[in-house]
Amino acid sequence: RLPHAQLFLSAMSDQENVRRLKSAARAVDELRQQLKTMLVSMKFNDRFVVEHRKRLCDAFVSVTDLDIRYAVKHDIEQNLWKSVFYPTIDSYRNLINETRESQNLKRSRKRLNEAEEEFQRYLSESLEFYQHRVAELQKRFNLKLTVAEFVKLNTPQHSWNPTEFDSLREE
């Protein structure tokens, strides 16, 4: 009877995992939509927008943590990049370019320096996020994966599949 009990508990935990995964995916969709709405009326570096982006990052991470195969199949890491990091980088680029083109040179130089410093801090924080993420994945799945490999695997030119985890595992 023990194997039947284990099978029943396994089926229950699978159902619970599916429920959690669906809930996490819904949270990602809702947070992503809320971020888009916020950006219509708020600046990309507004404190509330920054906090919301962090919540969205956490939601994406929770999907990956719940089911790595689902995350790979649905390009969760690529969607994280496109939803959170890339738009912010693009906004900083636009701000820097607009500031460079400003007519008020004295004021724009100061603002340009501030914008470039903010941008560098944001890039550093983004890199730290991905370094931490890669370290988590390495530990959790016993992978030998560098940040560069992680980034390469998450580019549109490379569509990877869950079986690639096998080749990345440490011996």
Side-chain angles (χ1 to χ4, degrees):
R1 292 189 180 211
L2 186 57
H4 293 291
Q6 287 176 335
L7 186 61
F8 175 73
L9 289 174
S10 175
M12 280 183 44
S13 65
D14 286 346
Q15 289 175 348
E16 179 63 18
N17 286 341
V18 167
R19 187 192 64 72
R20 286 181 182 163
L21 186 59
K22 285 181 179 180
S23 175
R26 274 193 307 273
V28 165
D29 288 340
E30 290 170 9
L31 289 167
R32 191 180 347 194
Q33 189 57 46
Q34 290 169 1
L35 181 61
K36 285 180 183 179
T37 302
M38 290 174 85
L39 288 171
V40 169
S41 61
M42 301 173 127
K43 291 186 177 186
F44 71 96
N45 55 356
D46 182 279
R47 178 175 60 100
F48 296 110
V49 173
V50 171
E51 290 170 4
H52 196 80
R53 271 198 312 263
K54 288 180 183 176
R55 284 194 297 277
L56 183 55
C57 275
D58 291 343
F60 272 111
V61 166
S62 70
V63 169
T64 303
D65 289 348
L66 284 168
D67 189 334
I68 190 71
R69 293 184 189 282
Y70 175 90
V72 170
K73 181 179 178 183
H74 292 91
D75 291 326
I76 294 299
E77 296 293 338
Q78 181 70 15
N79 282 305
L80 167 63
W81 169 256
K82 287 180 179 178
S83 298
V84 176
F85 294 100
Y86 183 77
T88 306
I89 290 170
D90 199 41
S91 295
Y92 272 113
R93 287 180 185 151
N94 291 336
L95 174 64
I96 289 169
N97 288 335
E98 289 169 8
T99 306
R100 282 188 180 134
E101 295 168 2
S102 172
Q103 300 302 316
N104 186 342
L105 294 178
K106 186 176 182 179
R107 185 173 173 215
S108 66
R109 281 192 186 131
K110 181 181 180 206
R111 182 61 192 130
L112 179 63
N113 288 338
E114 290 170 354
E116 287 175 340
E117 287 174 13
E118 279 181 39
F119 187 35
Q120 287 300 319
R121 273 193 304 276
Y122 180 77
L123 290 175
S124 294
E125 291 169 8
S126 300
L127 180 59
E128 286 175 25
F129 170 83
Y130 277 105
Q131 287 172 330
H132 178 72
R133 192 72 193 124
V134 168
E136 285 177 341
L137 291 170
Q138 285 174 326
K139 184 177 179 182
R140 184 166 183 198
F141 297 104
N142 195 30
L143 301 174
K144 52 179 182 184
L145 182 65
T146 66
V147 173
E149 290 168 329
F150 181 77
V151 170
K152 180 184 171 220
L153 290 173
N154 282 292
T155 59
Q157 299 85 1
H158 184 286
S159 60
W160 54 298
N161 60 55
T163 59
E164 290 190 51
F165 283 107
D166 297 333
S167 65
L168 295 170
R169 290 194 192 278
E170 303 251 30
E171 302 299 324

